[in-house]
Amino acid sequence: IADKWEDVAFNMSGYRPNATFVQGALQVAPRIPQTLTPSAGDPPTADQPFYRDIHFGPNTLQNTLFYGYANYDSISTEAIADDSLYSEPKRVTLEWRPGPEGYVRWSWEGTLIQEIDAETLGRYGSTPARLIPTEPMYLIM
């Protein structure tokens, strides 16, 4: 994966246009104040941090093309994948521990893609701290 990562032609999200990737995303509500959310295509900055303390794995970038809709935020990442994704079985893992000490962690073949913990969902401006969701969810694969 590393050799493909170093020589890709990057577009706005950091990937070549036809790159294969594995994505992990968590949608949360209520949204943080819009003043803290970058415009689509722009990376987070000190003035517009989006969410702090997101743990990224190697060869993983934050998805800067989609930060959510009017009623929720989408915290998502993209991990570059090699062509074996199409020819060999792969293990994708989702670890989910709800509540105030919780986290959501995505891994691919034992390597971290993204981890969002309760601290990441803390207070942002007028938006109160949120918990790692405890209600039923779904997984799209």
Side-chain angles (χ1 to χ4, degrees):
I1 294 175
D3 60 330
K4 284 192 167 200
W5 182 259
E6 292 173 4
D7 65 356
V8 295
F10 292 97
N11 63 15
M12 284 176 35
S13 67
Y15 295 105
R16 60 186 174 172
N18 295 319
T20 299
F21 59 89
V22 176
Q23 185 177 58
L26 176 67
Q27 282 76 41
V28 293
R31 290 198 82 169
I32 62 173
Q34 286 299 122
T35 57
L36 300 176
T37 303
S39 297
D42 292 337
T45 64
D47 292 333
Q48 292 181 310
F50 194 53
Y51 283 85
R52 300 176 296 271
D53 302 320
I54 301 170
H55 308 282
F56 299 105
N59 298 329
T60 303
L61 294 174
Q62 184 162 8
N63 178 3
T64 61
L65 295 178
F66 182 68
Y67 290 109
Y69 284 121
N71 57 345
Y72 68 88
D73 285 327
S74 179
I75 307 169
S76 62
T77 56
E78 298 169 333
I80 195 80
D82 62 31
D83 294 337
S84 70
L85 186 66
Y86 299 105
S87 60
E88 301 170 16
K90 300 294 180 188
R91 181 182 305 244
V92 177
T93 307
L94 172 65
E95 297 176 58
W96 175 17
R97 179 178 177 195
E101 301 296 321
Y103 59 86
V104 180
R105 181 182 302 138
W106 295 262
S107 300
W108 179 55
E109 290 292 297
T111 301
L112 178 69
I113 294 174
Q114 171 179 247
E115 180 179 325
I116 300 168
D117 58 31
E119 187 175 320
T120 302
L121 301 181
R123 181 178 190 83
Y124 289 85
S126 60
T127 303
R130 277 93 14 104
L131 299 176
I132 296 296
T134 57
E135 66 269 6
M137 297 283 186
Y138 60 90
L139 179 64
I140 301 173
M141 299 203 52

